[in-house]
């Protein structure tokens, strides 16, 4: 009898442990349940910055001022002036997707900073096509997008504060003049990492 | 004895008032701009949030590039700062939702008795309708 009880308990043990071992669940990216940390740029910060930049850029009408719409956009340097190692594509890709979906601009993937192409295969095929047809088919970018991400921190007693400034400039490739500039600042404050907005 | 009882009560009252900061404002009385107000349809499921941060009105305009721009005026009915999240949802001519980075949940805050505007820009010229959702911050 005793062994039967022990056996049943042992059999149930993995299920009990399995149930308690993890509380993993899905949350909405950038949603209310996202983790907020003071000393780091969180995913919702990139989303907020990209949202603000895209709205501001599209509302400005700067991308509409081209002879043959949609405008062609090239991504230039986004300087990371924070103390963190970040992938700036987390910001730029969201902006690129939004401007492409708006129908206002298309981003070149065969022209990049320092002559490097984002898509080398597309660049190779494009060059081959130009060679075969003996004519330039590449459309030069109308605009370039550059920017900087800056981190400013402050501390008073046990309160810590971080401000992340997302600065972006859209430059007219013909004139070299900035035709749109946007800045979104996100400030977070806390005494220790907390969850939720 | 009475003073002994009143002093702690006054202290508690002061502490309670310390969290309250309201906003004074001034603006031009003769408005030059004309807001194109939208006839809105509301669904209030969080009465608590609605009592604190209420929707005053919605107006819209079109950008030169043909994008719908929507502005919502909010009013904090309380005397303390309120935090909330909002999200703009956009719909095309067929009523299908268009999801982009413009549909992100955005955190915001409003000071006591303050009136403020939030705005959203349609992700593309095909977007004809919108919905704004408000969620109380955690």
């Amino acid at each position: 009898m005793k062994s039967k009880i022990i056996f049943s308990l042992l059999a149930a043990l993995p299920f009990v442990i399995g149930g308690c071992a993890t509380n993993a669940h899905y949350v909405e990216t950038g949603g209310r349940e996202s983790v907020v940390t003071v000393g780091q740029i969180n995913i919702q910060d990139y989303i907020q910055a990209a949202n603000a930049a895209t709205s501001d850029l599209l509302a400005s009408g700067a991308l509409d001022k081209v002879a043959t719409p949609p405008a062609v956009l090239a991504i230039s340097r986004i300087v990371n002036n924070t103390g963190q190692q970040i992938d700036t594509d987390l910001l730029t890709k969201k902006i690129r997707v939004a401007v492409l979906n708006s129908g206002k601009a298309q981003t070149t993937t065969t022209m990049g900073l320092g002559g490097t192409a984002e898509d080398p295969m597309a660049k190779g095929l494009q060059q081959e096509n130009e060679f075969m047809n003996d004519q330039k088919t590449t459309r030069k970018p109308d605009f370039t997008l550059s920017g900087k991400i800056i981190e400013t921190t402050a501390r008073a007693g046990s309160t810590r504060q971080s401000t992340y400034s997302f600065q972006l400039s859209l430059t007219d490739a013909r004139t070299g003049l900035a035709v749109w500039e946007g800045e979104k600042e996100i400030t977070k404050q806390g005494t220790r990492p907390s969850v939720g907005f | 004895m009475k003073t002994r009882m009143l002093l702690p009560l006054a202290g508690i009252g002061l502490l309670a008032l310390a969290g309250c900061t309201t906003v004074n404002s001034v603006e031009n009385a003769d408005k030059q701009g004309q807001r194109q107000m939208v006839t809105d349809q509301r669904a209030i499921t969080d009465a608590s949030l609605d009592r604190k941060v209420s929707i005053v009105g919605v107006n819209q305009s079109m950008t030169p590039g043909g994008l719908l721009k929507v502005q919502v005026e909010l009013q904090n009915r309380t005397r303390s700062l309120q935090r909330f999240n909002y999200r703009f949802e956009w719909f095309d001519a067929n009523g299908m939702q268009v999801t982009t980075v413009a549909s992100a949940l955005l955190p915001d805050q409003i000071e006591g008795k303050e009136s403020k505007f939030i705005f959203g820009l349609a992700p593309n010229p095909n977007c004809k309708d919108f919905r704004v959702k408000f969620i109380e911050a955690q």
Side-chain angles (χ1 to χ4, degrees), chain A residues 12-151:
Chain A
L13 200 62
F15 293 103
V16 173
I17 292 169
C20 297
T22 173
N23 186 26
H25 58 285
Y26 290 102
V27 294
E28 183 192 347
T29 305
R32 228 160 58 109
E33 291 174 300
S34 303
V35 171
V36 179
T37 51
V38 175
Q40 278 177 304
I41 306 177
N42 304 127
I43 190 67
Q44 56 271 38
D45 302 330
Y46 288 110
I47 294 171
Q48 262 192 74
N51 177 293
T54 309
S55 295
D56 201 28
L57 174 60
L58 294 177
S60 74
L63 292 170
D64 298 320
K65 292 165 190 160
V66 287
T68 47
V72 176
L73 183 67
I75 306 296
S76 185
R77 181 172 287 132
I78 308 288
V79 178
N80 171 19
N81 249 9
T82 71
Q84 303 157 46
Q85 192 176 355
I86 57 172
D87 191 332
T88 54
D89 272 358
L90 285 166
L91 176 73
T92 55
K93 194 68 173 182
K94 289 175 180 54
I95 297 170
R96 283 172 59 168
V97 170
V99 293
L100 178 68
N101 289 341
S102 75
K104 304 285 182 188
Q106 292 176 330
T107 307
T108 174
T109 56
T110 56
M111 219 172 276
L113 203 64
T116 53
E118 185 183 317
D119 186 342
M121 185 177 268
K123 189 179 183 178
L125 289 169
Q126 188 189 39
Q127 284 173 339
E128 191 184 311
N129 200 29
E130 283 179 356
F131 177 76
M132 297 295 275
N133 296 323
D134 200 24
Q135 60 176 12
K136 277 263 182 208
T137 53
T138 316
R139 191 174 154 192
K140 282 191 174 172
D142 299 299
F143 302 104
T144 61
L145 186 74
S146 61
K148 193 183 254 191
I149 305 172
I150 305 167
E151 179 182 30

Side-chain angles (χ1 to χ4, degrees), chain B residues 100-137:
Chain B
T100 65
V101 74
S103 308
L105 187 72
L106 302 170
D108 207 339
Q109 61 183 52
I110 184 167
E111 293 285 352
K113 297 288 176 187
E114 187 188 5
S115 166
K116 79 179 288 184
F117 295 96
I118 55 165
F119 87 91
L121 187 78
N124 66 54
N126 299 326
C127 290
K128 306 294 178 198
D129 299 310
F130 65 91
R131 178 160 61 187
V132 193
K133 288 180 176 172
F134 296 91
I135 307 165
E136 199 159 6

Side-chain angles (χ1 to χ4, degrees), chain B residues 9 27 30 37 43 45 50 56 70 72 82 103 107 111 114:
Chain B
L9 281 174
E27 59 192 283
D30 301 317
M37 300 308 290
T45 56
D50 188 53
V56 178
V70 176
V72 182
Q82 299 295 331
S103 308
E111 293 285 352
E114 187 188 5

Side-chain angles (χ1 to χ4, degrees), chain B residues 65-98:
Chain B
L67 299 170
L68 181 64
K69 193 174 183 178
V70 176
Q71 183 176 257
V72 182
E73 186 176 7
L74 302 172
Q75 168 87 52
N76 183 352
R77 292 196 207 167
T78 72
R79 300 182 65 82
S80 56
L81 184 138
Q82 299 295 331
R83 289 193 171 86
F84 62 96
N85 301 304
Y86 68 94
R87 181 203 305 276
F88 274 88
E89 291 178 347
W90 299 96
F91 303 90
D92 65 16
N94 298 315
M96 298 301 286
Q97 190 178 354
V98 180

